[in-house]
PDB file of all heavy atoms in Angstrom:
ATOM      1  N   LEU P 221     136.383 132.129 136.567  1.00 89.00           N
ATOM      2  CA  LEU P 221     136.177 133.196 135.522  1.00 89.00           C
ATOM      3  C   LEU P 221     135.855 134.519 136.181  1.00 89.00           C
ATOM      4  O   LEU P 221     136.348 135.560 135.746  1.00 89.00           O
ATOM      5  CB  LEU P 221     134.988 132.698 134.608  1.00 89.00           C
ATOM      6  CG  LEU P 221     134.954 133.392 133.270  1.00 89.00           C
ATOM      7  CD1 LEU P 221     136.109 132.926 132.407  1.00 89.00           C
ATOM      8  CD2 LEU P 221     133.639 133.053 132.539  1.00 89.00           C
ATOM      9  N   GLU P 222     135.083 134.489 137.248  1.00 86.00           N
ATOM     10  CA  GLU P 222     134.757 135.791 137.943  1.00 86.00           C
ATOM     11  C   GLU P 222     135.994 136.393 138.564  1.00 86.00           C
ATOM     12  O   GLU P 222     136.099 137.635 138.484  1.00 86.00           O
ATOM     13  CB  GLU P 222     133.732 135.496 139.032  1.00 86.00           C
ATOM     14  CG  GLU P 222     132.322 135.470 138.457  1.00 86.00           C
ATOM     15  CD  GLU P 222     131.323 135.467 139.609  1.00 86.00           C
ATOM     16  OE1 GLU P 222     131.179 134.398 140.225  1.00 86.00           O
ATOM     17  OE2 GLU P 222     130.608 136.483 139.778  1.00 86.00           O
ATOM     18  N   TRP P 223     136.927 135.587 139.098  1.00 89.00           N
ATOM     19  CA  TRP P 223     138.137 136.166 139.628  1.00 89.00           C
ATOM     20  C   TRP P 223     139.003 136.730 138.485  1.00 89.00           C
ATOM     21  O   TRP P 223     139.567 137.845 138.617  1.00 89.00           O
ATOM     22  CB  TRP P 223     138.942 135.106 140.398  1.00 89.00           C
ATOM     23  CG  TRP P 223     138.448 134.856 141.738  1.00 89.00           C
ATOM     24  CD1 TRP P 223     137.810 133.780 142.240  1.00 89.00           C
ATOM     25  CD2 TRP P 223     138.629 135.779 142.856  1.00 89.00           C
ATOM     26  NE1 TRP P 223     137.517 133.934 143.558  1.00 89.00           N
ATOM     27  CE2 TRP P 223     137.980 135.181 144.033  1.00 89.00           C
ATOM     28  CE3 TRP P 223     139.147 137.059 143.110  1.00 89.00           C
ATOM     29  CZ2 TRP P 223     137.923 135.766 145.203  1.00 89.00           C
ATOM     30  CZ3 TRP P 223     139.112 137.633 144.271  1.00 89.00           C
ATOM     31  CH2 TRP P 223     138.539 136.992 145.387  1.00 89.00           C
ATOM     32  N   CYS P 224     138.978 136.012 137.345  1.00 91.00           N
ATOM     33  CA  CYS P 224     139.777 136.501 136.169  1.00 91.00           C
ATOM     34  C   CYS P 224     139.196 137.861 135.701  1.00 91.00           C
ATOM     35  O   CYS P 224     139.882 138.759 135.406  1.00 91.00           O
ATOM     36  CB  CYS P 224     139.695 135.554 134.997  1.00 91.00           C
ATOM     37  SG  CYS P 224     140.619 134.045 135.370  1.00 91.00           S
ATOM     38  N   MET P 225     137.863 137.920 135.696  1.00 88.00           N
ATOM     39  CA  MET P 225     137.207 139.142 135.262  1.00 88.00           C
ATOM     40  C   MET P 225     137.542 140.296 136.180  1.00 88.00           C
ATOM     41  O   MET P 225     137.883 141.417 135.710  1.00 88.00           O
ATOM     42  CB  MET P 225     135.683 138.948 135.386  1.00 88.00           C
ATOM     43  CG  MET P 225     135.027 138.647 134.055  1.00 88.00           C
ATOM     44  SD  MET P 225     133.308 138.715 134.345  1.00 88.00           S
ATOM     45  CE  MET P 225     132.804 137.266 133.411  1.00 88.00           C
ATOM     46  N   ALA P 226     137.550 140.010 137.543  1.00 87.00           N
ATOM     47  CA  ALA P 226     137.847 141.064 138.454  1.00 87.00           C
ATOM     48  C   ALA P 226     139.293 141.537 138.236  1.00 87.00           C
ATOM     49  O   ALA P 226     139.551 142.733 138.201  1.00 87.00           O
ATOM     50  CB  ALA P 226     137.729 140.548 139.912  1.00 87.00           C
ATOM     51  N   GLY P 227     140.206 140.582 137.919  1.00 90.00           N
ATOM     52  CA  GLY P 227     141.607 140.928 137.611  1.00 90.00           C
ATOM     53  C   GLY P 227     141.682 141.851 136.385  1.00 90.00           C
ATOM     54  O   GLY P 227     142.344 142.844 136.332  1.00 90.00           O
ATOM     55  N   ALA P 228     140.926 141.388 135.339  1.00 90.00           N
ATOM     56  CA  ALA P 228     140.945 142.146 134.109  1.00 90.00           C
ATOM     57  C   ALA P 228     140.403 143.525 134.298  1.00 90.00           C
ATOM     58  O   ALA P 228     140.920 144.533 133.748  1.00 90.00           O
ATOM     59  CB  ALA P 228     140.109 141.381 133.038  1.00 90.00           C
ATOM     60  N   TYR P 229     139.324 143.654 135.111  1.00 88.00           N
ATOM     61  CA  TYR P 229     138.729 144.993 135.313  1.00 88.00           C
ATOM     62  C   TYR P 229     139.742 145.925 136.080  1.00 88.00           C
ATOM     63  O   TYR P 229     139.825 147.115 135.764  1.00 88.00           O
ATOM     64  CB  TYR P 229     137.463 144.906 136.139  1.00 88.00           C
ATOM     65  CG  TYR P 229     136.281 144.306 135.380  1.00 88.00           C
ATOM     66  CD1 TYR P 229     135.035 144.056 135.980  1.00 88.00           C
ATOM     67  CD2 TYR P 229     136.381 144.004 134.008  1.00 88.00           C
ATOM     68  CE1 TYR P 229     133.985 143.496 135.302  1.00 88.00           C
ATOM     69  CE2 TYR P 229     135.321 143.476 133.337  1.00 88.00           C
ATOM     70  CZ  TYR P 229     134.072 143.231 133.999  1.00 88.00           C
ATOM     71  OH  TYR P 229     133.084 142.680 133.305  1.00 88.00           O
ATOM     72  N   VAL P 230     140.491 145.279 137.014  1.00 88.00           N
ATOM     73  CA  VAL P 230     141.486 146.123 137.772  1.00 88.00           C
ATOM     74  C   VAL P 230     142.510 146.629 136.808  1.00 88.00           C
ATOM     75  O   VAL P 230     142.913 147.803 136.786  1.00 88.00           O
ATOM     76  CB  VAL P 230     142.121 145.322 138.919  1.00 88.00           C
ATOM     77  CG1 VAL P 230     143.261 146.089 139.528  1.00 88.00           C
ATOM     78  CG2 VAL P 230     141.101 145.017 140.013  1.00 88.00           C
ATOM     79  N   LEU P 231     143.016 145.713 135.935  1.00 89.00           N
ATOM     80  CA  LEU P 231     144.026 146.093 134.937  1.00 89.00           C
ATOM     81  C   LEU P 231     143.497 147.214 134.041  1.00 89.00           C
ATOM     82  O   LEU P 231     144.162 148.157 133.686  1.00 89.00           O
ATOM     83  CB  LEU P 231     144.362 144.889 134.075  1.00 89.00           C
ATOM     84  CG  LEU P 231     145.508 143.961 134.582  1.00 89.00           C
ATOM     85  CD1 LEU P 231     145.761 142.807 133.582  1.00 89.00           C
ATOM     86  CD2 LEU P 231     146.772 144.850 134.737  1.00 89.00           C
ATOM     87  N   ASP P 232     142.236 147.016 133.650  1.00 86.00           N
ATOM     88  CA  ASP P 232     141.579 147.940 132.705  1.00 86.00           C
ATOM     89  C   ASP P 232     141.504 149.345 133.351  1.00 86.00           C
ATOM     90  O   ASP P 232     141.823 150.334 132.748  1.00 86.00           O
ATOM     91  CB  ASP P 232     140.180 147.432 132.354  1.00 86.00           C
ATOM     92  CG  ASP P 232     139.503 148.330 131.333  1.00 86.00           C
ATOM     93  OD1 ASP P 232     140.150 148.593 130.309  1.00 86.00           O
ATOM     94  OD2 ASP P 232     138.312 148.744 131.507  1.00 86.00           O
ATOM     95  N   MET P 233     141.176 149.328 134.688  1.00 85.00           N
ATOM     96  CA  MET P 233     141.092 150.565 135.440  1.00 85.00           C
ATOM     97  C   MET P 233     142.429 151.277 135.483  1.00 85.00           C
ATOM     98  O   MET P 233     142.578 152.465 135.238  1.00 85.00           O
ATOM     99  CB  MET P 233     140.591 150.210 136.867  1.00 85.00           C
ATOM    100  CG  MET P 233     140.255 151.457 137.654  1.00 85.00           C
ATOM    101  SD  MET P 233     139.384 150.880 139.135  1.00 85.00           S
ATOM    102  CE  MET P 233     140.694 149.981 139.983  1.00 85.00           C
TER     103      MET P 233
END
Side-chain angles (χ1 to χ4, degrees):
L221 200 69
E222 275 190 288
W223 279 109
C224 291
M225 259 189 223
Y229 289 175
V230 170
L231 270 182
D232 187 48
M233 189 170 67

